[in-house]
């Protein structure tokens, strides 16, 4: 069994720009495998918008070739919607549908890259890219948004195109409110380069699994017997939370290297937001890597306080709970 608490991986700043490709979970998705919900036409419209966006030149077997540019400047496409409507599927599909130099990363990963390399080195690292795909663009931190605006503002005039996605809080969706106008306002310097699309629909990750359904002890023991002990990491939520405070989030993927399954037991309410945000990013990495994972302890609805779930980082917490629910559903199969 793997003990994650004994691992403290190192990572050189330059390594942050390596392997910016679709994660294991999204290796086999394609635009034609995206199944739009017929009750929400905006999903099919978003796929059509991506297909049109990628046809910056001619279609070639195996994908669209980026970009024999009719214009030297890069263009942008922004997809905004709730959790679990397929935005990341579409983003990864766009990566697979293109040739040329491209990179796919989360907004948070981009922030780590800029922070580690500095703005000048970060922009130089991506200056020759034809396409950047940025998942979960966050508008709730003005400092980070300003950095992203500066970064893209230096790249797009030189020919780098961008597709970005963002999550809108479920409560805001209920009010018919999306983030597209906020996005346009925050990136004023490059807003005219972006076309924005909203994607409606329910969170498919919540189908069949309630957020509070962590595993019982009997369920957990059944799950554990199906795992390869040599690839299993088992630790309590308390031990994991303590360890994550000593590992930079940019190294979480390296922390999980060689791991096939993760069991996090004895979930308890999280009183410290710094601990909670580290855990959220760890869950993102578990999910992206497509690892088997399960959880026991307190219900997911009780894991984060209402103050966190409706505060400045509400979207991070909602996404985390949505993904944990999906992983629990997968663990029960």
């Amino acid at each position: 069994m793997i003990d994650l608490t004994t691992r403290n991986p190192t990572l050189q700043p330059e390594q942050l720009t390596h392997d910016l490709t679709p994660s294991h979970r999204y290796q086999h998705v394609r635009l034609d495998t995206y199944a739009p919900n017929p009750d929400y036409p905006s999903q099919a419209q978003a796929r059509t918008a991506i297909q049109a966006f990628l046809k910056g030149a001619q279609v070639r077997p195996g994908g669209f070739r980026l970009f024999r540019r009719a214009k030297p400047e890069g263009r942008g496409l922004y997809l905004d919607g709730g959790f679990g409507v397929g935005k990341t599927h579409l983003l990864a599909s766009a990566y697979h549908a293109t040739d040329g130099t491209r990179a796919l990363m989360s907004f948070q990963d981009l922030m780590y890259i800029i922070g580690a390399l500095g703005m000048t080195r970060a922009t130089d690292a991506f200056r020759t890219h034809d396409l950047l795909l940025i998942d979960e663009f966050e508008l709730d931190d003005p400092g980070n948004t300003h950095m992203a605006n500066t970064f893209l503002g230096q790249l797009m005039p030189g020919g780098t195109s961008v597709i970005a996605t963002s999550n809108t809080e479920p409560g805001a969706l209920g009010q018919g409110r999306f983030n597209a106008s906020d996005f346009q306002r925050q990136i004023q310097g490059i807003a005219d380069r972006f076309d924005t699309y909203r994607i409606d629909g329910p969170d498919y990750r919540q189908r069949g699994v309630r957020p509070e359904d962590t595993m019982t002890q009997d369920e957990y023991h059944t799950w554990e017997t199906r795992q390869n002990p040599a690839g299993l990491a088992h630790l309590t939520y308390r031990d994991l939370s303590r360890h994550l405070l000593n590992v930079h989030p940019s190294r979480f993927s390296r922390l999980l290297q060689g791991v096939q399954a993760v069991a996090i037991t004895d979930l308890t309410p999280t009183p410290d937001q710094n601990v909670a945000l580290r855990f959220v990013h760890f869950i993102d990495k578990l999910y992206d890597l497509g690892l088997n994972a399960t959880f026991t302890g307190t219900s997911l609805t009780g894991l984060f306080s209402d103050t966190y779930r409706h505060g400045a980082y509400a979207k991070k917490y909602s996404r985390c709970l949505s993904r944990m629910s999906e992983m629990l559903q997968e663990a029960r199969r």
Side-chain angles (χ1 to χ4, degrees), residues 99-121:
D99 299 320
T101 305
R102 71 272 200 220
L104 189 156
M105 60 193 135
S106 71
F107 180 85
Q108 194 60 60
D109 287 334
L110 174 59
M111 292 300 101
Y112 292 141
I113 290 171
I114 295 174
L117 298 181
M119 185 62 71
T120 299
R121 289 173 65 196

Side-chain angles (χ1 to χ4, degrees), residues 23-331:
S23 65
H24 175 79
R25 186 176 290 272
Y26 294 100
Q27 279 298 314
H28 303 292
V29 300
R30 298 293 186 272
L31 288 170
D32 59 5
T33 67
Y34 179 70
N37 187 327
D39 294 331
Y40 297 91
S42 60
Q43 294 186 13
Q45 292 165 5
R47 180 174 63 181
T48 300
I50 286 183
Q51 291 171 325
F53 181 83
L54 294 178
K55 290 181 180 178
Q58 68 184 80
V59 177
R60 292 182 47 174
F64 301 100
R65 183 172 176 79
L66 289 169
F67 280 113
R68 295 177 185 174
R69 301 182 184 88
K71 298 180 181 179
E73 299 88 359
R75 300 298 303 170
L77 185 68
Y78 176 79
L79 303 178
D80 177 41
F83 301 98
V85 294
K87 298 187 301 298
T88 305
H89 181 132
L90 290 171
L91 206 64
S93 298
Y95 181 99
H96 293 306
T98 57
D99 299 320
T101 305
R102 71 272 200 220
L104 189 156
M105 60 193 135
S106 71
F107 180 85
Q108 194 60 60
D109 287 334
L110 174 59
M111 292 300 101
Y112 292 141
I113 290 171
I114 295 174
L117 298 181
M119 185 62 71
T120 299
R121 289 173 65 196
T123 53
D124 286 344
F126 293 101
R127 199 171 297 280
T128 61
H129 280 59
D130 297 301
L131 178 67
L132 294 183
L133 301 142
I134 304 173
D135 203 16
E136 298 158 2
F137 204 102
E138 297 176 3
L139 300 171
D140 45 20
D141 187 320
N144 286 348
T145 305
H146 176 72
M147 281 200 297
N149 190 14
T150 301
F151 173 79
L152 297 179
Q154 293 184 26
L155 290 179
M156 296 182 75
T160 300
S161 291
V162 177
I163 302 178
T165 71
S166 183
N167 288 321
T168 299
E169 264 293 281
L173 290 173
Q175 302 163 17
R177 183 181 181 280
F178 286 74
N179 287 327
S181 60
D182 293 340
F183 178 79
Q184 293 278 7
R185 183 175 63 253
Q186 293 284 0
I187 60 163
Q188 292 180 12
I190 53 175
D192 61 345
R193 296 184 181 276
F194 278 86
D195 294 322
T196 61
Y197 289 85
R198 54 184 280 177
I199 308 179
D200 302 271
D203 183 350
Y204 78 88
R205 288 191 282 260
Q206 300 296 344
R207 297 172 196 164
V209 175
R210 296 176 302 157
E212 67 270 19
D213 280 344
T214 51
M215 280 194 168
T216 66
Q217 287 301 314
D218 287 343
E219 285 180 314
Y220 168 70
H221 290 309
T222 299
W223 176 87
E224 187 179 35
T225 61
R226 300 199 305 265
Q227 310 309 314
N228 176 8
L232 174 63
H234 172 202
L235 67 173
T236 66
Y237 179 63
R238 182 180 182 183
D239 288 343
L240 174 64
S241 297
R242 286 178 173 177
H243 188 55
L244 293 183
L245 291 175
N246 298 317
V247 180
H248 192 273
S250 64
R251 302 174 183 173
F252 285 0
S253 291
R254 186 67 62 88
L255 179 68
L256 292 164
Q257 192 169 18
V259 175
Q260 299 170 347
V262 177
I264 303 172
T265 57
D266 303 324
L267 292 180
T268 57
T270 308
D272 186 301
Q273 179 144 245
N274 187 37
V275 172
L277 290 173
R278 292 275 179 134
F279 178 74
V280 165
H281 192 64
F282 183 77
I283 292 298
D284 284 341
K285 292 305 174 185
L286 280 182
Y287 184 83
D288 288 342
L289 291 170
L291 301 183
N292 296 325
T294 197
F295 314 91
T296 72
T298 192
S299 67
L300 299 191
T301 54
L303 184 58
F304 306 123
S305 73
D306 288 343
T307 302
Y308 297 168
R309 292 174 61 191
H310 301 290
Y313 302 106
K315 287 188 287 185
K316 290 179 182 286
Y317 294 117
S318 293
R319 181 182 70 240
C320 177
L321 295 176
S322 173
R323 290 180 165 183
M324 290 176 74
S325 291
E326 183 178 359
M327 288 188 283
L328 281 164
Q329 184 181 35
E330 293 169 347

